[in-house]
Amino acid sequence: MNVRHLLEVNDLTPPELIKVLDLSEQVEPPQVLAGKGMALIFEKPSARTRNSMEMAIVQLGGHPLSVRGDEVGIDVRESAEDVAMTLSCFHAAIGARVFEHAKLERIAAVATVPVINMLSDFSHPLQALADLLTLRQHFGELKGRKLAYIGDANNVSRSLMLAGVMTGMDIRLSSPKGYDSPEADVVLAKTLAQEAGLRGAVTITTDPFEAVDGVDAVVTDVWTSMGQEEEAIQRRKAFQGYQVDEKLMSAAALGAVFLHCLPAHRGEEVSAEVVDGPRSLVWAQAENRMHSARGLLSFLLAGGQS
Ligand code: CP
Ligand code: NVA
């Protein structure tokens, strides 16, 4: 059986991505992890990812084993490769939240079981799956829906942009200069949009009002990601004018919704009025981290057959 990893959403094909969303809504989860374990390594803090992954594993009949990065000591006590080989001896899958994406790639290169990216400095595919599931549940269909991501072009926006265009969404990103998406990511998103053939599109603008104009969903994330704490003051200045508040939300379509992967900083990237307001789907979105993790694991542990 093929070992399939998920380091970024485009490790799935567009039909496979939809299949994962479908599996996320399966009423009776297949017991693909019965009698098996999954190792979850966290080099950074986590509330949602750890809890949603652990519960998804339990729902699939398995046993989650979460460990902190410093307990394992990847590349300190032994190499990432030796850790990957060791964990492959005991577990049916490995999840890792790491600082450097390259570490995940090294783990995936040698692991003999599926490896899942639970967030790196580069991407956060599990979050994008939950976001799409939340939007699909709310709107019924993703194709043709417009989404604006406002703020820092980061791991969350990268995965969401790619997943969005793969499902035929129109994705607009608005960030201040210097904090926008690398050109290579935009080119990749455009290529994936074309390959999917669903008329997904991507637009980049520094003007948040232009991005939000008429969209169905407005999304943001923290201005300072884990590991960037030293830049917090400088970033707070750079992102002035990029807060998602009621004024910005009023430029979106009537019935537009708000998403945030959380944790949120009220008064920074989003106003309390918006994140705690009637258009916010953040709690459904948080719950969907568990359902989409379960859908993904069901897919990967069945050998990634689509
Ligand atoms: N959204 C998300 O990944 O949350 P945690 O960092 O708490 O896992
Ligand atoms: N961009 C954020 C996401 C947290 C879930 C970070 O990397 O800290």
Side-chain angles (χ1 to χ4, degrees):
M1 204 188 279
N2 268 351
V3 175
R4 297 280 303 269
H5 304 303
L6 187 93
L7 302 196
E8 180 53 296
V9 283
N10 63 323
D11 287 338
L12 301 170
T13 63
E16 285 174 344
L17 205 165
I18 296 297
K19 168 99 189 221
V20 167
L21 298 185
D22 293 344
L23 289 171
S24 308
E25 294 191 303
Q26 241 181 352
V27 181
E28 283 188 30
Q31 297 300 291
V32 285
L33 278 171
K36 297 176 181 171
M38 177 166 183
L40 307 173
I41 307 169
F42 288 91
E43 287 191 346
K44 304 183 186 187
S46 169
R48 280 145 293 271
T49 304
R50 177 171 173 185
N51 282 278
S52 60
M53 285 294 287
E54 289 203 359
M55 288 316 299
I57 292 163
V58 168
Q59 289 163 0
L60 295 170
H63 178 87
L65 202 147
S66 291
V67 281
R68 286 200 325 266
D70 59 5
E71 291 174 81
V72 188
I74 301 177
D75 288 337
V76 178
R77 198 162 171 263
E78 59 190 320
S79 68
E81 286 80 2
D82 284 2
V83 171
M85 288 299 288
T86 303
L87 296 178
S88 298
C89 296
F90 310 128
H91 293 284
I94 300 169
R97 169 169 284 200
V98 297
F99 283 94
E100 297 149 32
H101 191 76
K103 202 178 265 185
L104 262 173
E105 292 177 329
R106 287 170 53 212
I107 292 171
V110 299
T112 57
V113 296
V115 173
I116 295 179
N117 176 3
M118 299 197 299
L119 182 147
S120 70
D121 54 1
F122 185 64
S123 54
H124 196 5
L126 290 177
Q127 186 63 52
L129 294 177
D131 297 355
L132 292 195
L133 183 62
T134 308
L135 292 172
R136 195 175 78 162
Q137 286 170 347
H138 188 82
F139 290 114
E141 205 191 352
L142 295 169
K143 187 173 176 301
R145 289 287 166 189
K146 301 185 183 86
L147 178 150
Y149 176 95
I150 308 299
D152 189 29
N154 59 14
N155 43 10
V156 166
S157 66
R158 181 184 206 270
S159 296
L160 183 57
M161 167 171 71
L162 302 185
V165 295
M166 284 170 67
T167 55
M169 294 182 74
D170 174 351
I171 306 292
R172 305 166 187 187
L173 262 73
S174 182
S175 317
K177 270 206 163 42
Y179 296 92
D180 46 359
S181 289
E183 185 56 27
D185 289 359
V186 180
V187 169
L188 173 62
K190 289 184 174 167
T191 306
L192 288 174
Q194 257 186 350
E195 284 172 2
L198 299 172
R199 298 173 146 230
V202 54
T203 313
I204 309 292
T205 170
T206 51
D207 181 353
F209 281 90
E210 186 190 329
V212 161
D213 185 28
V215 297
D216 302 296
V218 181
V219 187
T220 189
D221 183 19
V222 291
W223 290 339
T224 301
S225 283
M226 293 181 277
Q228 299 174 330
E229 289 78 6
E230 284 179 5
E231 300 172 26
I233 294 173
Q234 174 194 329
R235 284 175 166 269
R236 226 170 274 138
K237 275 190 209 145
F239 285 96
Q240 286 315 305
Y242 286 83
Q243 183 185 94
V244 178
D245 55 13
E246 279 300 339
K247 190 170 167 222
L248 191 60
M249 284 302 292
S250 66
L254 214 69
V257 297
F258 172 76
L259 297 183
H260 192 311
C261 63
L262 307 178
H265 297 98
R266 290 166 176 78
E268 287 194 23
E269 76 276 3
V270 63
S271 67
E273 239 184 327
V274 169
V275 69
D276 300 320
R279 310 223 249 185
S280 174
L281 297 183
V282 296
W283 300 118
Q285 186 186 2
E287 181 177 327
N288 277 331
R289 287 295 308 274
M290 177 174 71
H291 302 308
S292 53
R294 199 177 57 240
L296 176 71
L297 285 172
S298 313
F299 177 77
L300 293 179
L301 290 163
Q305 309 292 341
S306 49

